[in-house]
Amino acid sequence: MSANYVVFVDSTVDLPVKMANDLGLNVIPYIFTLDGKEYYNHLDYREISVKNFYDTLRAGKTGSTTQVTSHRYLEAWTPFLKEGKDVLYMCLSSQLSKSYDQSVMAAREASEVYPDRKVIAIDTKSASLGQGLLAVHAAKARDEGKSLEDAAAYIESISKKMQHWVMADDLHHLKRGGRISGARAMVGTMLNVKPILTMTDIGKLAPVGKTRGHSKALALFLEKLEMYEFEKNETMYIAHSDVPDLAKQLTDMITEKYGVSNFVVNEIGPIIGSHTGPGTIALMFIGGKGERVALD
């Protein structure tokens, strides 16, 4: 690590813990509540397994999340600032959490206490492995010797080309989160309708279509790869909420059609999973053509 700064991320990046450790990412765990009990969401799921989390949701219990406070950010950053290091922080989309606002507040406070140090907080306008993909690029930029400012500008530029395509299986979780109405959730469940969502240019998760069944949803993902002319040398990121067989089916389809062999496949953790529910699958990649969907 030749650059004199550290990269911080939220546990919402949903990266495999070994990968995050190998990249030298500093991870701030979000807090969630499940069936009345509070947990810290670490990438190694040390407090509750992701399988137990989704089984609890399937049993009819609900999960909720809380934002990271400015105090917790300062607490995490301070040891590095004291060492004379700057901080690049990669936050979950500000459209999904108020944590980004808290991080900006913490960055201002840090500059007052450590005027010789810099903290740059980036709204990735992403979530789960989309956010994780950007964090991987930030770590690589740091290791290549890019300055703090250059790394931040680089992440901002590729974020515009980031594609998030999501198929949600449990419509009742989307109803609870205000994405669809109760009537649509009931009818859609009866008809095996799978809503398709994307992360928009402002980082908002928005429904953009629907399909019948899993197979048609996965076929739609392949169409999006072609539409946005994905960078074939890039790694494909696939996140799922306790449906590994579906994730394997998607990787096989992408490999067969496009010859892609580099994937990062991991579970959607409890923070994002509290809002999307079990059975969700998402594909994240950097497009070579076009930018994110813009919606009003």
Side-chain angles (χ1 to χ4, degrees), residues 106-257:
R108 284 199 299 264
E109 294 178 28
S111 67
E112 295 173 0
V113 179
Y114 303 97
D116 294 331
R117 301 269 55 86
K118 294 179 182 178
V119 176
I120 296 180
I122 294 178
D123 177 2
T124 65
K125 300 179 177 64
S126 301
S128 191
L129 282 181
Q131 184 188 1
L133 186 161
L134 294 176
V136 170
H137 279 271
K140 290 180 178 178
R142 175 206 60 203
D143 293 345
E144 290 168 359
K146 281 186 172 65
S147 70
L148 177 68
E149 293 81 359
D150 286 347
Y154 170 63
I155 295 303
E156 293 277 10
S157 68
I158 64 173
S159 173
K160 296 177 182 178
K161 297 182 178 181
M162 270 290 305
Q163 296 294 326
H164 307 66
W165 293 93
V166 184
M167 183 216 74
D169 190 64
D170 191 330
L171 278 71
H172 294 289
H173 281 274
L174 292 179
K175 175 186 73 67
R176 189 165 62 86
R179 303 295 174 187
I180 60 175
S181 68
R184 287 179 65 187
M186 181 178 297
V187 173
T189 299
M190 292 172 60
L191 298 177
N192 197 29
V193 169
K194 309 300 179 187
I196 303 299
L197 305 99
T198 191
M199 194 72 75
T200 71
D201 58 339
I202 63 171
K204 183 178 181 179
L205 189 63
V208 290
K210 57 183 179 292
T211 63
R212 287 277 187 90
H214 293 145
S215 296
K216 289 185 178 179
L218 298 188
L220 178 64
F221 287 177
L222 265 66
E223 291 177 12
K224 297 303 180 184
L225 282 172
E226 187 168 2
M227 177 186 300
Y228 287 96
E229 296 183 358
F230 66 96
E231 300 287 352
K232 293 189 177 180
N233 293 330
E234 291 284 344
T235 300
M236 292 287 160
Y237 287 69
I238 295 174
H240 67 92
S241 49
D242 200 28
V243 280
D245 292 346
L246 203 58
K248 177 63 164 58
Q249 183 180 345
L250 180 57
T251 60
D252 290 346
M253 290 170 67
I254 294 173
T255 298
E256 181 179 354
K257 184 167 184 177

Side-chain angles (χ1 to χ4, degrees), residues 19-34:
M19 186 176 184
N21 290 340
D22 289 346
L23 289 167
L25 296 173
N26 298 277
V27 183
I28 298 177
Y30 266 50
I31 298 172
F32 67 97
T33 301
L34 180 67

